[in-house]
Amino acid sequence: MNKGDGVVGDYSTAGLFEAFETLTDVVHRTPCKESRTINEWTDSTVYLKLENLQRTGSFKIRGAFNKVSKLSDEECSRGLIAASAGNHAQGVALAGRERGIPVTIYMPKTTPDTKINATRKYGATVKLVGQNFDEAYIAAREEQFVSGASFIHPFDDLAIVEGQATVAMEMLQQRPEMDTIVVPAGGGGLLAGTALAVKTIRPSVKVIGVQASNSPAIAHAFKGVRNKNLPFLPTIAEGICVKEPGKLTVDIIRNYVDDIVTVTEQEITSTILFMLEREKLLVEGAAAAAIAAVVNKRLPFSSEKTGVIVSGGNFDLRKLSECMGQNTKNVQNF
């Protein structure tokens, strides 16, 4: 892989390629599948990077493993602690288990049971606190202050960002013809990593972030909106429901992302059903948000060959009825 000039703006790119090498034998090289159905709908070529088929069911394992691999023995001896809406939790739990490190994860009470149970099966202690990620994060930080455990941030850490960047690095190898990559965004780790990777390796490729309209913190930061009464509502895309995105990630996103768009709850739920029925793939709300931006033609400019990061598949099947209730489109004719 071409390692570029080693710098993008203020950021050294060496860590991207170190992460790529570190994770080669850890993560699955997931398929980047062309979707003929979506091609017909959008009159373009669309590639789905299926991180829902990744270990732990999400891209988050990449950043977690990359960060934990860099910890010293002394840092590991204090144990690991993290806050997560679910996917980061599983990545940290698995990374900790493989290094023999005890892990404690704070998760919102609203986290789907599938994510809670999977995290526990990887050996982590799970504490359910608050109604959203931000409340769980505050509780985790308070515990970390007392215990002295090593905190593994879900997005606002360069090692995490560099680990997440490896998704886009694989895509650029698998589908070098892409002109655009569409990425779901919550705290911004995956979007920031994608932007750094793309602007390092193939800067002509556009990077578009996608947020749920119920939780658009990064979209507003990107566009310079400072209204304190911004919406922050529950969303079926709980993996990207973050009220306070990272300072590091927002800085990278402002400088290197081309645009950010939002999609509605109805568009997200319709896409979950569409993917299940037409593509035979179960995707969670965050992943569906990115796909929804493409199939609902929300991109701010035309794209002939579009890559979409299908970020995860850890969806609570009990919420399918909620999707059906919100869906006013006939999925057969989507």
Side-chain angles (χ1 to χ4, degrees):
M1 179 178 285
N2 180 10
K3 296 190 177 183
D5 62 7
V7 178
V8 172
D10 295 329
Y11 297 94
S12 167
T13 61
L16 300 176
F17 300 98
E18 290 174 3
F20 195 83
E21 293 175 4
T22 296
L23 298 175
T24 296
D25 296 326
V26 173
V27 301
H28 298 322
R29 186 179 175 89
T30 53
C32 199
K33 171 186 176 291
E34 185 172 343
S35 170
R36 292 184 180 180
T37 304
I38 298 178
N39 288 355
E40 293 174 0
W41 179 257
T42 62
D43 194 28
S44 63
T45 303
V46 177
Y47 308 110
L48 304 176
K49 178 61 169 167
L50 300 181
E51 287 291 288
N52 59 314
L53 303 181
Q54 186 55 263
R55 294 181 69 186
T56 73
S58 162
F59 76 95
K60 284 283 192 174
I61 189 175
R62 296 173 182 266
F65 256 91
N66 193 52
K67 175 63 178 179
V68 172
S69 74
K70 295 178 180 296
L71 297 179
S72 67
D73 290 342
E74 190 278 329
E75 289 172 314
C76 292
S77 70
R78 294 185 267 124
L80 307 180
I81 191 168
S84 171
N87 289 334
H88 178 64
Q90 294 174 67
V92 174
L94 182 55
R97 187 180 76 178
E98 296 206 357
R99 283 197 68 177
I101 311 168
V103 177
T104 300
I105 307 289
Y106 279 74
M107 305 171 81
K109 295 177 181 178
T110 53
T111 303
D113 288 345
T114 51
K115 295 182 178 181
I116 296 170
N117 294 336
T119 303
R120 286 175 172 152
K121 287 179 180 178
Y122 289 125
T125 298
V126 175
K127 297 186 178 183
L128 301 177
V129 178
Q131 297 302 309
N132 53 56
F133 164 78
D134 296 88
E135 292 176 5
Y137 175 82
I138 291 170
R141 278 298 197 186
E142 290 173 349
E143 173 64 21
Q144 187 258 345
F145 180 77
V146 173
S147 69
S150 297
F151 194 84
I152 310 299
H153 201 289
F155 45 83
D156 208 28
D157 183 303
L158 189 57
I160 295 289
V161 170
E162 289 168 344
Q164 319 305 27
T166 62
V167 180
M169 295 168 81
E170 287 182 12
M171 293 176 74
L172 292 169
Q173 288 183 333
Q174 293 166 309
R175 301 292 184 177
E177 66 272 26
M178 290 186 305
D179 58 47
T180 305
I181 298 181
V182 181
V183 190
L190 179 61
L191 180 57
T194 300
L196 284 181
V198 167
K199 301 312 176 184
T200 298
I201 299 166
R202 196 162 300 130
S204 62
V205 174
K206 302 292 186 183
V207 177
I208 305 298
V210 183
Q211 292 212 280
S213 58
N214 278 8
S215 182
I218 285 183
H220 284 140
F222 181 82
K223 297 177 186 298
V225 177
R226 299 183 181 277
N227 185 352
K228 293 183 179 180
N229 298 316
L230 295 175
F232 183 66
L233 302 171
T235 169
I236 199 164
E238 80 285 334
I240 54 173
C241 186
V242 177
K243 189 174 184 179
E244 295 291 339
K247 293 180 180 179
L248 168 68
T249 55
V250 167
D251 179 68
I252 294 171
I253 289 164
R254 281 175 171 162
N255 282 287
Y256 306 114
V257 168
D258 294 283
D259 208 343
I260 299 179
V261 299
T262 61
V263 290
T264 67
E265 290 300 292
Q266 188 178 93
E267 289 168 339
I268 296 170
T269 55
S270 294
T271 301
I272 291 171
L273 295 174
F274 167 77
M275 290 296 292
L276 188 58
E277 182 170 347
R278 300 298 294 273
E279 296 293 330
K280 313 307 178 189
L281 291 169
L282 180 65
V283 303
E284 61 188 80
I291 304 166
V294 175
V295 298
N296 287 284
K297 303 177 182 178
R298 290 284 184 270
L299 300 191
F301 45 75
S302 62
S303 170
E304 294 183 358
K305 297 184 184 297
T306 309
V308 183
I309 298 182
V310 183
S311 55
N314 295 315
F315 184 70
D316 188 344
L317 291 174
R318 293 176 299 180
K319 290 188 175 183
L320 282 176
S321 59
E322 180 181 339
C323 294
M324 294 296 295
Q326 291 188 13
N327 181 32
T328 60
K329 293 184 179 181
N330 183 334
V331 178
Q332 291 284 355
N333 297 321
F334 192 85

